[in-house]
């Protein structure tokens, strides 16, 4: 296959990376997947995803860490990737409250190594994961990419905002096209065990209580993983370009005079946590034992994505309903863990 169809996906054994890699290979890309298979959550789940990917022709795996500068440099030099999708990161808002150093190590140092490698190896387009958490204390709904995002509520959010700033610098100084993607609460099969859907499903099946924060009144713009990867796959070959009408007197945060773009990828329809739990209960045919709790430090009460910029760019809008998405996750869960429902 021609070199122009080669792409590096970091975090390939992670939840979104796993689904994206399958999607890109289906579209004819050769994917080099990078992952350090760390133990932030169940390594066996990461190995299961990786085992599926390793059966696909067009996939090759590299075990390594973003923060290993010489390894990253050698990987880029050897492969000369036209496209890079950086999904590897230390994830999770709550974990950042107790393990702050992990975020600087992976999300800042690691991302700097990616930027440097892209710069020195003439990468045509860097697409990277940001997060809806960057909206922080913003109250205006829906969250739009044109809003200022200077009030993060967690170190995780601050690290993702930092990635956007770092990317802009490289777009400006070195004309490196960069596109940042603010994901809104991604869920689906092979999802992360530290996320609400996984935690709730497991606990309800085991008859254990679940902690329901903000007394179930929290709202999230839950986004099904297939919608996320469809959006990313459309953006990969579409290198970010300068905005000719960008105005430094009224600076739009989501575009630039440099080849830089930011997009929300969300379902554009927030769901209250209490209803989310109802859908799980209905699918499992089992009631949850709820432990109602106040809002946690670092959490925002609501997320709601304005996806107009994404629709304009790639002619696609995430639209999988919560009922369909949760149904598919639970079907996967009971099959993977061999549970009778």
């Amino acid at each position: 296959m021609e070199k122009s169809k080669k792409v590096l996906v970091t975090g390939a054994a992670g939840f979104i990376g796993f689904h994206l890699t399958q999607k890109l290979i289906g579209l004819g890309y050769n994917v080099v997947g990078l992952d350090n298979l760390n133990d932030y959550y169940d390594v066996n789940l990461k190995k299961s995803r990786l085992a599926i990917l390793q059966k696909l022709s067009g996939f090759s795996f590299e075990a390594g860490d973003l923060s290993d500068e010489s390894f990253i440099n050698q990987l880029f030099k050897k492969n000369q990737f036209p496209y890079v999708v950086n999904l590897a990161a230390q994830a999770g808002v709550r974990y950042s409250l107790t393990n702050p150093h992990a975020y600087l190590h992976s999300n800042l140092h690691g991302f700097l190594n990616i930027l440097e490698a892209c710069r020195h190896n003439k990468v045509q387009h860097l697409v990277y994961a940001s997060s809806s958490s960057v909206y922080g204390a913003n109250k205006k709904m829906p969250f739009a990419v044109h809003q200022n995002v200077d009030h993060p509520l967690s170190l995780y959010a601050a690290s993702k905002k930092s990635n956007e700033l770092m990317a802009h610098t490289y777009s400006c100084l070195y004309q490196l096209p960069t596109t940042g993607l603010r994901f809104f609460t991604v869920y689906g099969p092979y999802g992360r065990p530290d996320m609400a859907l996984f935690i709730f499903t497991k606990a309800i099946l085991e008859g254990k209580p679940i902690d329901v924060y903000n007394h179930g009144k929290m709202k999230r713009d839950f986004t099904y993983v297939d919608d996320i990867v469809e959006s990313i796959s459309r953006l990969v070959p579409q290198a970010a370009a300068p905005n000719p009408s960008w105005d430094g007197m009224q600076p739009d945060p989501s575009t630039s005079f440099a080849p830089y773009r930011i997009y929300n990828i969300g379902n554009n329809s927030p769901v209250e946590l209490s209803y989310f739990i109802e859908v799980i209960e209905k699918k499992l045919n089992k009631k949850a034992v709820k432990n109602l709790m106040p809002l946690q430090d670092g959490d925002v009460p609501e997320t709601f994505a304005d996806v107009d910029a994404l629709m304009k760019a790639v002619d696609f809008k995430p639209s999988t309903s919560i009922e369909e998405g949760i149904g598919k996750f639970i079907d996967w869960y009971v099959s993977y863990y061999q549970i009778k429902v």
Side-chain angles (χ1 to χ4, degrees), residues 25 58 77 87 130 174 177 191 212 216 230 273 310 315 319 321 337:
I25 286 172
K77 202 171 178 181
L87 300 174
S130 183
Y174 309 114
V212 182
E230 178 66 35
L273 192 58
L310 177 74
D315 193 28
S319 61
S321 72
Y337 291 104

mmCIF file with all atom_site columns, all heavy atoms in Angstrom, residues 25 58 77 87 130 174 177 191 212 216 230 273 310 315 319 321 337:
data_model
loop_
_atom_site.group_PDB
_atom_site.id
_atom_site.type_symbol
_atom_site.label_atom_id
_atom_site.label_alt_id
_atom_site.label_comp_id
_atom_site.label_asym_id
_atom_site.label_entity_id
_atom_site.label_seq_id
_atom_site.pdbx_PDB_ins_code
_atom_site.Cartn_x
_atom_site.Cartn_y
_atom_site.Cartn_z
_atom_site.occupancy
_atom_site.B_iso_or_equiv
_atom_site.pdbx_formal_charge
_atom_site.auth_seq_id
_atom_site.auth_comp_id
_atom_site.auth_asym_id
_atom_site.auth_atom_id
_atom_site.pdbx_PDB_model_num
ATOM 1   N N   . ILE A 1 25  ? -8.421  0.708   9.289  1.00 0.00 ? 25  ILE A N   1
ATOM 2   C CA  . ILE A 1 25  ? -7.993  -0.440  8.478  1.00 0.00 ? 25  ILE A CA  1
ATOM 3   C C   . ILE A 1 25  ? -9.095  -0.792  7.472  1.00 0.00 ? 25  ILE A C   1
ATOM 4   O O   . ILE A 1 25  ? -8.819  -1.085  6.305  1.00 0.00 ? 25  ILE A O   1
ATOM 5   C CB  . ILE A 1 25  ? -7.608  -1.638  9.374  1.00 0.00 ? 25  ILE A CB  1
ATOM 6   C CG1 . ILE A 1 25  ? -6.254  -1.349  10.042 1.00 0.00 ? 25  ILE A CG1 1
ATOM 7   C CG2 . ILE A 1 25  ? -7.547  -2.942  8.577  1.00 0.00 ? 25  ILE A CG2 1
ATOM 8   C CD1 . ILE A 1 25  ? -5.835  -2.337  11.103 1.00 0.00 ? 25  ILE A CD1 1
ATOM 9   N N   . GLY A 1 58  ? -2.671  -5.185  7.809  1.00 0.00 ? 58  GLY A N   1
ATOM 10  C CA  . GLY A 1 58  ? -2.620  -3.728  7.770  1.00 0.00 ? 58  GLY A CA  1
ATOM 11  C C   . GLY A 1 58  ? -2.379  -3.125  9.146  1.00 0.00 ? 58  GLY A C   1
ATOM 12  O O   . GLY A 1 58  ? -2.335  -1.911  9.298  1.00 0.00 ? 58  GLY A O   1
ATOM 13  N N   . LYS A 1 77  ? 11.020  8.289   12.633 1.00 0.00 ? 77  LYS A N   1
ATOM 14  C CA  . LYS A 1 77  ? 12.053  8.283   11.595 1.00 0.00 ? 77  LYS A CA  1
ATOM 15  C C   . LYS A 1 77  ? 11.922  7.053   10.699 1.00 0.00 ? 77  LYS A C   1
ATOM 16  O O   . LYS A 1 77  ? 12.024  7.126   9.479  1.00 0.00 ? 77  LYS A O   1
ATOM 17  C CB  . LYS A 1 77  ? 13.441  8.302   12.265 1.00 0.00 ? 77  LYS A CB  1
ATOM 18  C CG  . LYS A 1 77  ? 14.545  8.822   11.376 1.00 0.00 ? 77  LYS A CG  1
ATOM 19  C CD  . LYS A 1 77  ? 15.809  8.997   12.188 1.00 0.00 ? 77  LYS A CD  1
ATOM 20  C CE  . LYS A 1 77  ? 16.938  9.463   11.295 1.00 0.00 ? 77  LYS A CE  1
ATOM 21  N NZ  . LYS A 1 77  ? 18.210  9.621   12.028 1.00 0.00 ? 77  LYS A NZ  1
ATOM 22  N N   . LEU A 1 87  ? -4.101  9.466   20.748 1.00 0.00 ? 87  LEU A N   1
ATOM 23  C CA  . LEU A 1 87  ? -5.161  9.185   21.720 1.00 0.00 ? 87  LEU A CA  1
ATOM 24  C C   . LEU A 1 87  ? -4.585  8.738   23.062 1.00 0.00 ? 87  LEU A C   1
ATOM 25  O O   . LEU A 1 87  ? -5.308  8.676   24.055 1.00 0.00 ? 87  LEU A O   1
ATOM 26  C CB  . LEU A 1 87  ? -6.101  8.091   21.187 1.00 0.00 ? 87  LEU A CB  1
ATOM 27  C CG  . LEU A 1 87  ? -6.822  8.411   19.871 1.00 0.00 ? 87  LEU A CG  1
ATOM 28  C CD1 . LEU A 1 87  ? -7.593  7.179   19.392 1.00 0.00 ? 87  LEU A CD1 1
ATOM 29  C CD2 . LEU A 1 87  ? -7.758  9.597   20.036 1.00 0.00 ? 87  LEU A CD2 1
ATOM 30  N N   . SER A 1 130 ? -8.534  15.907  22.779 1.00 0.00 ? 130 SER A N   1
ATOM 31  C CA  . SER A 1 130 ? -8.709  16.830  23.890 1.00 0.00 ? 130 SER A CA  1
ATOM 32  C C   . SER A 1 130 ? -9.893  16.280  24.694 1.00 0.00 ? 130 SER A C   1
ATOM 33  O O   . SER A 1 130 ? -10.128 15.073  24.687 1.00 0.00 ? 130 SER A O   1
ATOM 34  C CB  . SER A 1 130 ? -8.929  18.259  23.388 1.00 0.00 ? 130 SER A CB  1
ATOM 35  O OG  . SER A 1 130 ? -9.026  19.147  24.487 1.00 0.00 ? 130 SER A OG  1
ATOM 36  N N   . TYR A 1 174 ? 5.777   26.119  13.101 1.00 0.00 ? 174 TYR A N   1
ATOM 37  C CA  . TYR A 1 174 ? 6.316   25.153  12.129 1.00 0.00 ? 174 TYR A CA  1
ATOM 38  C C   . TYR A 1 174 ? 5.307   24.776  11.037 1.00 0.00 ? 174 TYR A C   1
ATOM 39  O O   . TYR A 1 174 ? 5.554   23.846  10.267 1.00 0.00 ? 174 TYR A O   1
ATOM 40  C CB  . TYR A 1 174 ? 6.800   23.893  12.864 1.00 0.00 ? 174 TYR A CB  1
ATOM 41  C CG  . TYR A 1 174 ? 7.714   24.236  14.018 1.00 0.00 ? 174 TYR A CG  1
ATOM 42  C CD1 . TYR A 1 174 ? 7.322   23.988  15.334 1.00 0.00 ? 174 TYR A CD1 1
ATOM 43  C CD2 . TYR A 1 174 ? 8.958   24.843  13.793 1.00 0.00 ? 174 TYR A CD2 1
ATOM 44  C CE1 . TYR A 1 174 ? 8.152   24.326  16.394 1.00 0.00 ? 174 TYR A CE1 1
ATOM 45  C CE2 . TYR A 1 174 ? 9.793   25.181  14.855 1.00 0.00 ? 174 TYR A CE2 1
ATOM 46  C CZ  . TYR A 1 174 ? 9.381   24.930  16.143 1.00 0.00 ? 174 TYR A CZ  1
ATOM 47  O OH  . TYR A 1 174 ? 10.198  25.274  17.209 1.00 0.00 ? 174 TYR A OH  1
ATOM 48  N N   . PRO A 1 177 ? -0.042  21.161  10.622 1.00 0.00 ? 177 PRO A N   1
ATOM 49  C CA  . PRO A 1 177 ? -1.501  21.143  10.747 1.00 0.00 ? 177 PRO A CA  1
ATOM 50  C C   . PRO A 1 177 ? -1.924  20.269  11.942 1.00 0.00 ? 177 PRO A C   1
ATOM 51  O O   . PRO A 1 177 ? -1.550  19.097  12.026 1.00 0.00 ? 177 PRO A O   1
ATOM 52  C CB  . PRO A 1 177 ? -1.976  20.531  9.426  1.00 0.00 ? 177 PRO A CB  1
ATOM 53  C CG  . PRO A 1 177 ? -0.832  20.728  8.472  1.00 0.00 ? 177 PRO A CG  1
ATOM 54  C CD  . PRO A 1 177 ? 0.397   20.584  9.328  1.00 0.00 ? 177 PRO A CD  1
ATOM 55  N N   . GLY A 1 191 ? -15.453 -0.718  26.389 1.00 0.00 ? 191 GLY A N   1
ATOM 56  C CA  . GLY A 1 191 ? -15.229 0.563   27.053 1.00 0.00 ? 191 GLY A CA  1
ATOM 57  C C   . GLY A 1 191 ? -14.340 0.458   28.280 1.00 0.00 ? 191 GLY A C   1
ATOM 58  O O   . GLY A 1 191 ? -13.938 -0.631  28.698 1.00 0.00 ? 191 GLY A O   1
ATOM 59  N N   . VAL A 1 212 ? -24.159 7.461   43.048 1.00 0.00 ? 212 VAL A N   1
ATOM 60  C CA  . VAL A 1 212 ? -24.789 8.326   42.051 1.00 0.00 ? 212 VAL A CA  1
ATOM 61  C C   . VAL A 1 212 ? -24.547 9.774   42.464 1.00 0.00 ? 212 VAL A C   1
ATOM 62  O O   . VAL A 1 212 ? -25.156 10.274  43.415 1.00 0.00 ? 212 VAL A O   1
ATOM 63  C CB  . VAL A 1 212 ? -26.304 8.026   41.937 1.00 0.00 ? 212 VAL A CB  1
ATOM 64  C CG1 . VAL A 1 212 ? -26.945 8.904   40.864 1.00 0.00 ? 212 VAL A CG1 1
ATOM 65  C CG2 . VAL A 1 212 ? -26.541 6.552   41.617 1.00 0.00 ? 212 VAL A CG2 1
ATOM 66  N N   . GLY A 1 216 ? -28.038 12.161  41.031 1.00 0.00 ? 216 GLY A N   1
ATOM 67  C CA  . GLY A 1 216 ? -28.586 11.693  39.744 1.00 0.00 ? 216 GLY A CA  1
ATOM 68  C C   . GLY A 1 216 ? -29.005 12.809  38.810 1.00 0.00 ? 216 GLY A C   1
ATOM 69  O O   . GLY A 1 216 ? -29.529 12.564  37.726 1.00 0.00 ? 216 GLY A O   1
ATOM 70  N N   . GLU A 1 230 ? -16.151 7.511   13.537 1.00 0.00 ? 230 GLU A N   1
ATOM 71  C CA  . GLU A 1 230 ? -16.581 7.970   12.216 1.00 0.00 ? 230 GLU A CA  1
ATOM 72  C C   . GLU A 1 230 ? -16.102 9.414   12.004 1.00 0.00 ? 230 GLU A C   1
ATOM 73  O O   . GLU A 1 230 ? -15.564 9.756   10.943 1.00 0.00 ? 230 GLU A O   1
ATOM 74  C CB  . GLU A 1 230 ? -18.105 7.898   12.093 1.00 0.00 ? 230 GLU A CB  1
ATOM 75  C CG  . GLU A 1 230 ? -18.658 8.405   10.768 1.00 0.00 ? 230 GLU A CG  1
ATOM 76  C CD  . GLU A 1 230 ? -18.258 7.558   9.565  1.00 0.00 ? 230 GLU A CD  1
ATOM 77  O OE1 . GLU A 1 230 ? -18.148 6.314   9.692  1.00 0.00 ? 230 GLU A OE1 1
ATOM 78  O OE2 . GLU A 1 230 ? -18.053 8.140   8.478  1.00 0.00 ? 230 GLU A OE2 1
ATOM 79  N N   . LEU A 1 273 ? -28.330 11.661  34.460 1.00 0.00 ? 273 LEU A N   1
ATOM 80  C CA  . LEU A 1 273 ? -27.737 10.427  34.984 1.00 0.00 ? 273 LEU A CA  1
ATOM 81  C C   . LEU A 1 273 ? -28.805 9.457   35.480 1.00 0.00 ? 273 LEU A C   1
ATOM 82  O O   . LEU A 1 273 ? -28.691 8.245   35.280 1.00 0.00 ? 273 LEU A O   1
ATOM 83  C CB  . LEU A 1 273 ? -26.755 10.767  36.113 1.00 0.00 ? 273 LEU A CB  1
ATOM 84  C CG  . LEU A 1 273 ? -25.821 9.666   36.594 1.00 0.00 ? 273 LEU A CG  1
ATOM 85  C CD1 . LEU A 1 273 ? -24.967 9.118   35.457 1.00 0.00 ? 273 LEU A CD1 1
ATOM 86  C CD2 . LEU A 1 273 ? -24.919 10.175  37.716 1.00 0.00 ? 273 LEU A CD2 1
ATOM 87  N N   . LEU A 1 310 ? -18.165 20.727  13.525 1.00 0.00 ? 310 LEU A N   1
ATOM 88  C CA  . LEU A 1 310 ? -17.876 19.365  13.055 1.00 0.00 ? 310 LEU A CA  1
ATOM 89  C C   . LEU A 1 310 ? -18.740 19.024  11.838 1.00 0.00 ? 310 LEU A C   1
ATOM 90  O O   . LEU A 1 310 ? -18.239 18.510  10.829 1.00 0.00 ? 310 LEU A O   1
ATOM 91  C CB  . LEU A 1 310 ? -18.136 18.360  14.177 1.00 0.00 ? 310 LEU A CB  1
ATOM 92  C CG  . LEU A 1 310 ? -17.951 16.885  13.808 1.00 0.00 ? 310 LEU A CG  1
ATOM 93  C CD1 . LEU A 1 310 ? -16.483 16.531  13.673 1.00 0.00 ? 310 LEU A CD1 1
ATOM 94  C CD2 . LEU A 1 310 ? -18.625 15.974  14.833 1.00 0.00 ? 310 LEU A CD2 1
ATOM 95  N N   . ASP A 1 315 ? -19.540 16.814  7.416  1.00 0.00 ? 315 ASP A N   1
ATOM 96  C CA  . ASP A 1 315 ? -20.883 16.394  7.012  1.00 0.00 ? 315 ASP A CA  1
ATOM 97  C C   . ASP A 1 315 ? -21.347 15.167  7.797  1.00 0.00 ? 315 ASP A C   1
ATOM 98  O O   . ASP A 1 315 ? -21.869 14.203  7.237  1.00 0.00 ? 315 ASP A O   1
ATOM 99  C CB  . ASP A 1 315 ? -20.916 16.119  5.502  1.00 0.00 ? 315 ASP A CB  1
ATOM 100 C CG  . ASP A 1 315 ? -22.342 15.993  4.976  1.00 0.00 ? 315 ASP A CG  1
ATOM 101 O OD1 . ASP A 1 315 ? -23.236 16.614  5.572  1.00 0.00 ? 315 ASP A OD1 1
ATOM 102 O OD2 . ASP A 1 315 ? -22.554 15.260  3.990  1.00 0.00 ? 315 ASP A OD2 1
ATOM 103 N N   . SER A 1 319 ? -25.269 10.609  16.389 1.00 0.00 ? 319 SER A N   1
ATOM 104 C CA  . SER A 1 319 ? -26.715 10.557  16.636 1.00 0.00 ? 319 SER A CA  1
ATOM 105 C C   . SER A 1 319 ? -27.200 9.236   17.240 1.00 0.00 ? 319 SER A C   1
ATOM 106 O O   . SER A 1 319 ? -28.408 9.017   17.333 1.00 0.00 ? 319 SER A O   1
ATOM 107 C CB  . SER A 1 319 ? -27.466 10.807  15.325 1.00 0.00 ? 319 SER A CB  1
ATOM 108 O OG  . SER A 1 319 ? -27.132 9.810   14.384 1.00 0.00 ? 319 SER A OG  1
ATOM 109 N N   . SER A 1 321 ? -28.665 6.814   19.705 1.00 0.00 ? 321 SER A N   1
ATOM 110 C CA  . SER A 1 321 ? -29.447 7.066   20.925 1.00 0.00 ? 321 SER A CA  1
ATOM 111 C C   . SER A 1 321 ? -28.830 6.327   22.110 1.00 0.00 ? 321 SER A C   1
ATOM 112 O O   . SER A 1 321 ? -28.151 5.307   21.944 1.00 0.00 ? 321 SER A O   1
ATOM 113 C CB  . SER A 1 321 ? -30.890 6.607   20.733 1.00 0.00 ? 321 SER A CB  1
ATOM 114 O OG  . SER A 1 321 ? -30.949 5.187   20.715 1.00 0.00 ? 321 SER A OG  1
ATOM 115 N N   . TYR A 1 337 ? -17.809 -11.227 29.447 1.00 0.00 ? 337 TYR A N   1
ATOM 116 C CA  . TYR A 1 337 ? -17.604 -11.776 30.803 1.00 0.00 ? 337 TYR A CA  1
ATOM 117 C C   . TYR A 1 337 ? -18.416 -13.058 31.045 1.00 0.00 ? 337 TYR A C   1
ATOM 118 O O   . TYR A 1 337 ? -18.435 -13.576 32.166 1.00 0.00 ? 337 TYR A O   1
ATOM 119 C CB  . TYR A 1 337 ? -17.909 -10.723 31.866 1.00 0.00 ? 337 TYR A CB  1
ATOM 120 C CG  . TYR A 1 337 ? -16.873 -9.611  31.874 1.00 0.00 ? 337 TYR A CG  1
ATOM 121 C CD1 . TYR A 1 337 ? -17.160 -8.363  31.329 1.00 0.00 ? 337 TYR A CD1 1
ATOM 122 C CD2 . TYR A 1 337 ? -15.594 -9.819  32.401 1.00 0.00 ? 337 TYR A CD2 1
ATOM 123 C CE1 . TYR A 1 337 ? -16.201 -7.350  31.311 1.00 0.00 ? 337 TYR A CE1 1
ATOM 124 C CE2 . TYR A 1 337 ? -14.632 -8.816  32.378 1.00 0.00 ? 337 TYR A CE2 1
ATOM 125 C CZ  . TYR A 1 337 ? -14.949 -7.584  31.839 1.00 0.00 ? 337 TYR A CZ  1
ATOM 126 O OH  . TYR A 1 337 ? -13.992 -6.588  31.817 1.00 0.00 ? 337 TYR A OH  1
#
